Amino acid sequence: MKGIEIFFKTLIKDKVDHIFSPPNSFGPEVDKIFDKKFKNLVKNVISGNEQGASHMADGYARVTGKPGVVVCDSDTSGTNTITGLQTANMDSAPIVVFICHFSEDDKLSNVFNQIDHIGISRSTTKHNFLVEDVMDLSRIVREALYLSVTGRPGAILVDIPKHVLFSEYKFNFPKIDKVSGYSIPKEAKISDINKAANLIMKAKRPIVFGGGGIVISGATEELQNFANRLKIPVTLTLMGLGGYPPDDPMRVSWIGMHGSYFANKAVHDSDLVISIGARFDDRSTGGVFEKFAPKAKVIHIDIDPSNINKNIKVHCPILGDAKAVIRQLLKRIPLSYKPDKNERQSWFDKIKSWERENPTIAIQKGKMIKTSYAISLLSKITKGKAVVVTDVGQHQMWVAQYYDFQNPRNQITSGGLGTMGFGFPAAIGARFGRKKDAVLAICGDGSFQMNMQEFSTAVANNLDLKIVLINNGHHGMVRQWQTLFFDKNYSCCKFDMNPDYIKVAQSYGAKAFKIDSPVDLESSLKEGLSTKGVVLMEVVVDHTEMVYPMLTPGGTMDDMLLDPSDPVPEGPVPDMA
């Protein structure tokens, strides 16, 4: 059996049901083998843009928890996966990119054969492999898939030379229980659990600071039991949205640069922060790490030891899986323990008073559609149950603020790298992964132009996919920062030559229409969402609307701009746009 047959057979036996490939990636020889033997066993999704394949695999991986697999050649198909690898790796999404040297010639005279894919991908991956012998091929393919989804999930790259792909060897399917030098933390040390339990039982104003690790670990039910039994409020980071129900009495919105006023205030004023599966990055803390929650002790639960004590010096580090550690804490804290009723009620009353001061409510004013209002309507219409994939910018923050995600793995966004052009292809991947659920791509016009050729993939595969295009004619977040911090000296943020998005969509065979009036907004969104097929809804919005609240540069989590009338602090502005 040829190595290429071993490769595809291993993927299929390891329950890979979709692979994502750039255009013309296999070449005629491999196409014949694939079409003859494997075409009906695994779906090969061809992207419109070489970069799109890795984002599709990423979207598929995030909504399913399974590896998103990319198979591509060793030319620019391979180099164009780097942004996708970095995007996935920073957000702990399990994707595996197989660089197969389909076009390699025997003399290695083709310039593409000289690309060091291992070298250029090393800093963007959790691990990478070079397959040197066909006898190792099946094992390495299995190890790559295993590594991508275990521990802290991440991106893996496998480089497979042509001589491996076309050498003859017998098929084998080795068992993969562990990988040499790789250990997966599960339960935490008992001494760490005891320390954390004592801190929790002594705290008067505790709060859970929940991140994407809750979603990845599948710890929603455990966290609900923990929070409701111990009467501890729960707030979420951007990546944690969907990991805790919005209507649970313990839920306190979300935190960060544009998080809710009352949630940011609660973290700042707490006396114990219980961080679960969060990395304390600058977007969730404001970036002034030494001023974070100054009155609080910090418990940090994470499966990745490199995240602990990286940005925030913590009082109780716990290495372990979120679900397992929460169960350990629930077992360790006696059922007889009850927090002081008056103290806890006072803490919740304080949080409620902050919410009354500055509630998160979208209001439609004026003749131009407000994006915040459009997002809140989408949440209402879909009852918060759709899979929502965003691009990067203002619309991304408004989705976080106003879409009430009911379920885990339904909020898909590039949180770490902030990759523009991610949304549309990732939504296509999500659609393949979640065939029974509504999937929405909510994109800004700046991001959408980077990968809008993926209409070809969506239409060719007859997907039922809805795209809500927020058209403000600008890079909205860039314009917001230039408005607030650069005296309205606007540079490179306005689009002077926007395409006709309706005609672009229709030219690919998609359905499309424009919404430019608040009066028609709700009925038009309902019509678009109920129409079968690939549907683009272009929503023309007020480009002057800005995202509030907003943490002030250099300030603490209780120092926020709440509306345009708030004075902007003077001083240097960090590059956080």
Side-chain angles (χ1 to χ4, degrees):
M1 183 181 291
K2 290 184 184 295
I4 186 63
E5 296 173 84
I6 293 172
F7 170 68
F8 283 124
K9 193 170 181 178
T10 303
L11 289 177
I12 292 164
K13 196 161 183 179
D14 222 333
K15 300 181 180 178
V16 172
D17 48 19
H18 290 77
I19 59 176
F20 301 89
S21 300
N24 303 314
S25 193
F26 288 2
E29 188 174 3
V30 176
D31 272 338
K32 288 179 183 178
I33 295 172
F34 182 82
D35 289 347
K36 183 179 179 180
K37 297 188 175 183
F38 305 108
K39 188 175 182 178
N40 296 324
L41 301 175
V42 59
K43 172 74 173 175
N44 185 22
V45 181
I46 309 297
S47 63
N49 175 5
E50 288 181 336
Q51 187 190 92
S54 53
H55 293 325
M56 290 178 191
D58 191 346
Y60 174 89
R62 296 193 200 210
V63 299
T64 63
K66 297 163 59 178
V69 174
V70 177
V71 179
C72 61
D73 204 345
S74 57
D75 54 10
T76 55
S77 303
T79 58
N80 266 312
T81 65
I82 295 299
T83 298
L85 284 165
Q86 185 69 54
T87 301
N89 206 48
M90 291 187 75
D91 288 344
S92 305
I95 76 167
V96 184
V97 172
F98 293 98
I99 305 287
C100 300
H101 291 241
F102 297 128
S103 60
E104 179 182 301
D105 63 29
D106 295 336
K107 296 179 182 179
L108 298 181
S109 60
N110 188 329
V111 68
F112 295 138
N113 306 145
Q114 300 168 22
I115 299 171
D116 179 11
H117 292 285
I118 295 292
I120 63 177
S121 68
R122 200 177 299 278
S123 65
T124 69
T125 54
K126 178 180 179 180
H127 191 67
N128 52 29
F129 296 88
L130 173 64
V131 186
E132 298 184 77
D133 195 304
V134 67
M135 66 182 293
D136 298 321
L137 181 57
S138 189
R139 173 184 59 81
I140 289 175
V141 169
R142 296 214 68 204
E143 285 186 358
L145 296 170
Y146 173 78
L147 287 174
S148 72
V149 295
T150 54
R152 178 184 175 181
I156 310 292
L157 181 136
V158 182
D159 193 339
I160 311 176
K162 188 169 186 176
H163 76 269
V164 173
L165 294 170
F166 290 93
S167 293
E168 296 282 343
Y169 196 70
K170 64 181 183 297
F171 177 75
N172 60 73
F173 193 69
K175 188 176 182 180
I176 306 295
D177 288 327
K178 60 181 180 178
V179 176
S180 178
Y182 177 66
S183 60
I184 306 169
K186 284 291 184 183
E187 289 195 340
K189 294 178 181 177
I190 296 301
S191 58
D192 293 338
I193 293 296
N194 289 339
K195 184 176 180 180
N198 288 332
L199 288 171
I200 291 167
M201 288 188 286
K202 291 177 182 177
K204 297 180 179 180
R205 301 185 309 280
I207 190 164
V208 170
F209 185 106
I214 294 166
V215 176
I216 294 167
S217 178
T220 296
E221 184 178 345
E222 284 76 10
L223 182 55
Q224 279 189 273
N225 291 339
F226 176 84
N228 280 279
R229 182 183 137 192
L230 302 176
K231 298 296 182 281
I232 298 176
V234 176
T235 190
L236 301 173
T237 67
L238 174 66
M239 301 309 296
L241 292 173
Y244 200 89
D247 53 356
D248 186 282
M250 297 299 110
R251 174 70 184 273
V252 181
S253 195
W254 74 296
I255 45 148
M257 173 66 73
H258 295 287
S260 297
Y261 171 79
F262 54 100
N264 283 343
K265 290 280 284 185
V267 170
H268 183 78
D269 205 51
S270 66
D271 66 355
L272 179 67
V273 174
I274 308 165
S275 173
I276 306 176
R279 54 194 169 202
F280 286 125
D281 66 6
D282 53 3
R283 296 304 197 275
S284 61
T285 64
V288 188
F289 301 123
E290 65 274 13
K291 297 180 182 178
F292 175 78
K295 305 169 188 175
K297 287 184 166 53
V298 179
I299 299 169
H300 190 179
I301 301 166
D302 207 289
I303 201 166
D304 182 357
S306 71
N307 273 339
I308 296 176
N309 284 320
K310 181 172 70 175
N311 293 330
I312 303 292
K313 298 299 179 184
V314 304
H315 302 82
C316 181
I318 300 180
L319 184 64
D321 174 76
K323 179 189 283 191
V325 172
I326 294 171
R327 286 176 174 173
Q328 284 181 279
L329 286 169
L330 282 169
K331 188 175 180 180
R332 167 62 183 80
I333 297 172
L335 289 172
S336 59
Y337 165 76
K338 305 290 181 186
D340 184 279
K341 190 173 182 179
N342 291 330
E343 285 180 348
R344 203 62 108 230
Q345 188 60 51
S346 175
W347 178 221
F348 276 97
D349 288 346
K350 187 65 175 174
I351 295 171
K352 281 293 181 185
S353 72
W354 286 323
E355 184 177 6
R356 287 192 295 271
E357 281 180 38
N358 197 271
T360 304
I361 300 173
I363 299 173
Q364 175 60 48
K365 291 182 179 179
K367 296 180 179 180
M368 293 293 294
I369 295 170
K370 303 294 184 185
T371 306
S372 54
Y373 182 67
I375 301 301
S376 69
L377 277 180
L378 284 168
S379 182
K380 172 187 168 186
I381 294 167
T382 62
K383 300 179 181 178
K385 294 181 179 180
V387 175
V388 177
V389 188
T390 75
D391 264 309
V392 173
Q394 286 180 314
H395 72 279
Q396 178 189 32
M397 297 297 100
W398 278 312
V399 168
Q401 289 179 338
Y402 295 106
Y403 196 94
D404 289 328
F405 290 96
Q406 298 291 326
N407 300 307
R409 297 195 180 278
N410 275 17
Q411 191 263 158
I412 311 299
T413 196
S414 174
L417 192 60
T419 304
M420 295 182 67
F422 168 83
F424 189 19
I428 291 172
R431 175 76 277 173
F432 280 108
R434 297 275 287 278
K435 292 182 173 66
K436 295 182 180 180
D437 296 317
V439 177
L440 308 181
I442 301 181
C443 306
D445 48 346
S447 292
F448 190 66
Q449 290 188 59
M450 296 183 177
N451 270 320
M452 61 186 178
Q453 62 272 56
E454 298 306 342
F455 271 121
S456 62
T457 302
V459 173
N461 286 278
N462 299 311
L463 298 184
D464 188 19
L465 179 64
K466 310 300 181 280
I467 306 104
V468 179
L469 175 60
I470 304 298
N471 185 351
N472 64 2
H474 290 73
H475 286 304
M477 192 59 82
V478 176
R479 185 187 186 279
Q480 175 164 335
W481 277 65
Q482 291 175 352
T483 299
L484 293 173
F485 306 116
F486 296 94
D487 297 323
K488 299 183 180 180
N489 288 314
Y490 299 121
S491 175
C492 304
C493 64
K494 184 180 179 182
F495 306 137
D496 293 319
M497 292 187 66
N498 250 353
D500 186 325
Y501 296 107
I502 304 301
K503 289 182 179 178
V504 169
Q506 291 173 342
S507 71
Y508 281 97
K511 304 176 183 73
F513 59 88
K514 183 180 291 188
I515 311 170
D516 57 11
S517 168
V519 176
D520 303 325
L521 181 59
E522 184 168 3
S523 60
S524 297
L525 289 174
K526 286 181 177 177
E527 179 185 348
L529 293 172
S530 62
T531 302
K532 292 294 183 183
V534 181
V535 181
L536 173 75
M537 292 165 271
E538 180 186 357
V539 184
V540 182
V541 300
D542 180 3
H543 73 274
T544 66
E545 185 183 13
M546 294 195 286
V547 187
Y548 291 104
M550 180 179 184
L551 295 180
T552 59
T556 55
M557 290 191 75
D558 69 334
D559 189 8
M560 288 165 270
L561 301 176
L562 301 178
D563 59 55
S565 65
D566 280 354
V568 177
E570 295 182 359
V573 180
D575 182 17
M576 297 182 70

